[in-house]
Amino acid sequence: MAPNNEKISTLISKEELQKRIKELAKDIGKDYEGRDLLIIAVLKGSFMFLADLIRELDCHVGIDFMGTSSYGASTKSSGEVRITKDLEQSVWGRHVLLVEDIVDTGLTLRYLVDTLRARQPASLKVCALLDKPARRRVRIGLDYYGFIIPNAFVVGYGLDYQEKYRGLPYVGVMEDEDQHS
Ligand code: PRP
């Protein structure tokens, strides 16, 4: 039960998340075997996915974070993304895996991939837990993804609604969509 007023129904259970993350970690571990990997997680939503993913990974992993936000009156659809927190380490010559909680319009990821590519990593791949293709505005390829989800407002497992619900151990759907459409 969500600890607030909104009604939330489970979309992806804790068990389903953990099972899929184990599978993703296995694939990633195999692909990066023998190589040092730098994981860059995008704040804030991806912190929980990152924490569970790296605990399942069987390879050497460094971690860094980037923060982003959108310009404009409408938060997500302005089409302009800016960096609010940059990396603390260089990606030059390193194998980089960008980790996101959700890809919605794809604008954040597009911007981050372009920004990181310009810094010349040895390789750059993208892993997103949730893929919501119905809202995509730019083409972006995902090397690893956890779940394809419908066009609904999702919260939990790192994702928020007005900064609430990030701590839920499952991904849920807000039932009263009028509040945020
Ligand atoms: C979310 C999510 C992605 C981005 C995806 O972040 O974590 O970074 O939106 O949206 P897009 O594909 O439309 O660009 P948000 O701006 O909600 O910040 P938060 O992670 O700090 O909650």
Side-chain angles (χ1 to χ4, degrees):
M1 183 75 172
N4 285 288
N5 299 330
E6 292 87 11
K7 278 196 96 182
I8 293 172
S9 58
T10 303
L11 180 68
I12 307 168
S13 70
K14 183 178 173 180
E15 292 72 26
E16 289 172 306
L17 285 168
Q18 298 308 323
K19 179 170 177 280
R20 184 72 185 115
I21 289 167
K22 275 197 174 84
E23 292 169 356
L24 281 174
K26 207 170 162 195
D27 290 346
I28 293 167
K30 215 188 300 169
D31 292 349
Y32 288 93
E33 199 176 349
R35 289 186 286 177
D36 284 339
L37 174 62
L38 174 63
I39 290 188
I40 297 176
V42 186
L43 295 170
K44 302 177 211 166
S46 62
F47 73 93
M48 207 175 284
F49 176 40
L50 172 76
D52 283 343
L53 183 68
I54 61 170
R55 276 182 281 194
E56 296 293 339
L57 270 178
D58 192 18
C59 60
H60 296 292
V61 185
I63 291 162
D64 209 335
F65 296 93
M66 281 187 107
T68 57
S69 80
S70 301
Y71 285 131
S74 66
T75 51
K76 293 220 174 174
S77 52
S78 64
E80 292 183 67
V81 178
R82 72 188 168 94
I83 294 174
T84 54
K85 186 214 170 295
D86 208 337
L87 299 172
E88 289 174 7
Q89 33 195 310
S90 170
V91 300
W92 189 87
R94 302 186 69 180
H95 296 290
V96 173
L97 180 65
L98 193 54
V99 167
E100 261 286 26
D101 52 340
I102 184 166
V103 187
D104 195 335
T105 64
L107 292 166
T108 304
L109 204 50
R110 175 80 275 153
Y111 180 82
L112 286 174
V113 165
D114 291 347
T115 301
L116 290 173
R117 274 217 183 104
R119 299 180 187 182
Q120 300 184 305
S123 66
L124 176 62
K125 286 188 175 185
V126 177
C127 174
L129 179 65
L130 307 176
D131 182 8
K132 196 196 276 186
R135 298 235 316 157
R136 199 71 95 253
R137 287 177 52 188
V138 290
R139 274 175 73 104
I140 185 92
L142 299 178
D143 300 285
Y144 310 94
Y145 68 91
F147 301 88
I148 294 176
I149 60 166
N151 188 11
F153 193 91
V154 288
V155 295
Y157 201 69
L159 290 94
D160 74 309
Y161 168 59
Q162 297 181 348
E163 289 301 325
K164 293 185 288 189
Y165 307 124
R166 289 195 197 274
L168 296 177
Y170 58 89
V171 175
V173 174
M174 302 272 301
E175 285 185 0
D176 182 3
E177 299 207 18
D178 291 346
Q179 297 174 79
H180 40 74
S181 56

